Amino acid sequence: MSCGSDQATESAVEAAPQADPTAMAANQAAGSQVVADAAQPQVPAGPPTKMTFKYIEYDFGTVKDGEIVRHEYEFTNTGTEPLIIADAKASCGCTVPSWPKEPIQPGDKGKIKVEFDSKGKPGPQSKKVTITANTDPAPLYLTIKGNVEGKGADVAKKQ
């Protein structure tokens, strides 16, 4: 497996106030409906904080069809409140993220692990992982990308 270089892209999310619950209650009382997007997890309650990644994009280079690529995105809670990650969701079933379930205290580091299964995915790949946490803005996005050499291409080269 050939690894490409990490692109040094820093991402920091500034703290800002959440939606005003009093205004939401007033809208509901006035007959307005507040509908939550079922596809998007809710941002955890509590004060927002700041999550800083050294890299938000990882280029794994070129791999052969069927190889599994793993990468850890390290982050730091650079805010003043505990960081709570509610969910990490990939754009495709071939990509599986895992994340810390306990709050990350201010100044502490954590890792979001992402695994990409290249089986049956020939050609250029770019998968997005959506992070839902008590940050503003929420959600945040990580990208894993590269190229998968398909088995069909290998057969054509041998002939």
Side-chain angles (χ1 to χ4, degrees):
M1 173 165 66
S2 169
C3 290
S5 63
D6 285 351
Q7 295 184 2
T9 307
E10 287 203 19
S11 173
V13 179
E14 298 294 330
Q18 298 290 317
D20 180 3
T22 307
M24 290 173 57
N27 285 339
Q28 286 178 329
S32 300
Q33 283 189 324
V34 177
V35 180
D37 182 359
Q40 182 64 35
Q42 294 297 314
V43 173
T49 193
K50 187 175 175 182
M51 184 178 197
T52 304
F53 288 87
K54 184 173 181 181
Y55 303 102
I56 59 169
E57 183 174 278
Y58 173 69
D59 186 336
F60 58 81
T62 300
V63 298
K64 293 187 187 304
D65 186 310
E67 286 187 54
I68 295 179
V69 177
R70 293 176 182 89
H71 184 70
E72 294 182 350
Y73 296 85
E74 187 174 299
F75 64 86
T76 304
N77 178 354
T78 54
T80 58
E81 300 293 333
L83 171 65
I84 301 166
I85 302 173
D87 195 25
K89 193 170 283 194
S91 59
C92 176
C94 60
T95 306
V96 180
S98 61
W99 65 95
K101 306 303 189 265
E102 290 78 32
I104 307 296
Q105 297 304 314
D108 287 352
K109 294 182 182 296
K111 293 180 182 177
I112 296 175
K113 299 173 185 174
V114 176
E115 185 174 287
F116 167 69
D117 185 352
S118 69
K119 185 177 181 180
K121 304 280 185 197
Q125 300 295 316
S126 181
K127 306 299 178 187
K128 181 169 66 170
V129 175
T130 304
I131 309 299
T132 304
N134 62 327
T135 56
D136 187 44
L140 304 171
Y141 302 98
L142 303 174
T143 302
I144 186 166
K145 69 179 189 174
N147 190 53
V148 178
E149 290 181 341
K151 291 182 181 183
D154 293 340
V155 171
K157 287 180 189 176
K158 291 179 184 178
Q159 294 179 352

